[in-house]
Amino acid sequence: MIKKTLITFSLLFLAVIWLAYLSQYLPVYIPIYVPTYISALSLITFIMYAWDKRQAKQSTHKKVTRTSERTLQLLSLFGGWPGALIAQQWLRHKSQKRRFIGVLWLCIILNVVSILSLFFLVG
């Protein structure tokens, strides 16, 4: 249940950003690259999680290079958190590390507050 809720939350966030842009609710000076940037970075973040999950599975058999947790967290902080949350739930990757989850949720809160401030303070 929680897994579906978190995935829905991420997809809903992306949908709201695009709907706000398409309905011209966002201020005029915010061009299309805002929803495009968030969507593209989310996709990149998802791919990085999937790649790291694949590397983690292979690391039991041979030496492989993994994606650092810092890189995954920075991608989330810079706007890719929807992709990170979807990957974490769907791929079950980095879903047991409490510290990692805490940092991810801090990134989510910072991003959502930033976007809400764009809507309510500027709009």
Side-chain angles (χ1 to χ4, degrees):
M1 177 69 175
I2 192 84
K3 178 179 176 177
K4 288 181 182 179
T5 303
L6 293 174
I7 291 172
T8 302
F9 170 66
S10 299
L11 293 173
L12 191 60
F13 177 82
L14 291 171
V16 166
I17 295 296
W18 275 103
L19 286 174
Y21 173 75
L22 294 173
S23 66
Q24 298 176 345
Y25 185 75
L26 291 175
V28 175
Y29 61 85
I30 297 178
I32 191 167
Y33 69 76
V34 171
T36 303
Y37 168 81
I38 292 171
S39 299
L41 194 57
S42 291
L43 178 62
I44 291 167
T45 304
F46 182 89
I47 292 168
M48 293 297 289
Y49 267 75
W51 176 258
D52 189 51
K53 174 75 174 193
R54 181 174 182 263
Q55 295 298 88
K57 286 181 179 180
Q58 288 182 351
S59 69
T60 59
H61 305 298
K62 60 182 178 178
K63 182 101 169 126
V64 295
T65 303
R66 301 270 312 269
T67 305
S68 72
E69 287 187 358
R70 177 177 285 175
T71 300
L72 296 174
Q73 291 168 341
L74 284 173
L75 286 168
S76 298
L77 178 64
F78 293 142
W81 69 266
L85 195 57
I86 292 168
Q88 188 182 63
Q89 298 304 310
W90 193 14
L91 303 173
R92 293 186 309 223
H93 189 52
K94 303 288 186 189
S95 59
Q96 297 299 315
K97 292 187 162 192
R98 298 289 178 212
R99 185 172 181 269
F100 188 88
I101 293 169
V103 171
L104 176 60
W105 277 101
L106 180 62
C107 294
I108 292 170
I109 291 167
L110 289 172
N111 275 270
V112 169
V113 167
S114 297
I115 293 295
L116 287 176
S117 69
L118 274 178
F119 284 121
F120 295 113
L121 296 178
V122 180

